[in-house]
Amino acid sequence: MKPDLSLVIEEPIAGHYYWMIVRPGGWLRLGPCQVIDSASGPLPSYQAAQAAGSQVLASFQPVVERPTPSGFGGAWDIMTIPGALV
C-alpha cells in the first residue's frame, strides 16, 4: 500500500525555498497536515528544493518488486498463449 504523502515547496522569504513531506489529515483530508520530514535549511531555487524533496519522498515510497515466475522460461519472462487444437 502506498502511503498518502505529498511534497510541498514553500518560499517564506524571497529566494529561500524549503521542501516538506506532508501527510494530509482529518476527515476527507481537510484537516491539518502532519509534517513527516522537511528541509534543514533554505535552498537557492524552486527546482533545487523540488529535486531534493523528490529524492526524500522516493525513499518513503515502497518498492514493489515483481515476483519471478517459476518453471521453464521464468528467467526470460515468457508468456504462454492459449491455443486451439484442430
Side-chain angles (χ1 to χ4, degrees):
M1 183 173 155
K2 181 176 136 187
D4 190 19
L5 300 175
S6 298
L7 174 63
V8 176
I9 311 292
E10 289 188 345
E11 185 184 15
I13 302 170
H16 291 85
Y17 296 90
Y18 294 87
W19 58 265
M20 293 187 303
I21 308 274
V22 297
R23 177 179 288 131
W27 186 66
L28 292 178
R29 300 181 186 156
L30 298 176
C33 293
Q34 176 188 7
V35 177
I36 306 298
D37 200 357
S38 62
S40 59
L43 291 146
S45 69
Y46 183 89
Q47 290 81 11
Q50 187 176 24
S54 295
Q55 191 172 26
V56 174
L57 181 62
S59 70
F60 284 107
Q61 304 297 332
V63 176
V64 178
E65 294 184 16
R66 250 179 64 196
T68 304
S70 62
F72 177 77
W76 302 306
D77 197 23
I78 295 175
M79 302 286 295
T80 57
I81 300 172
L85 296 175
V86 288

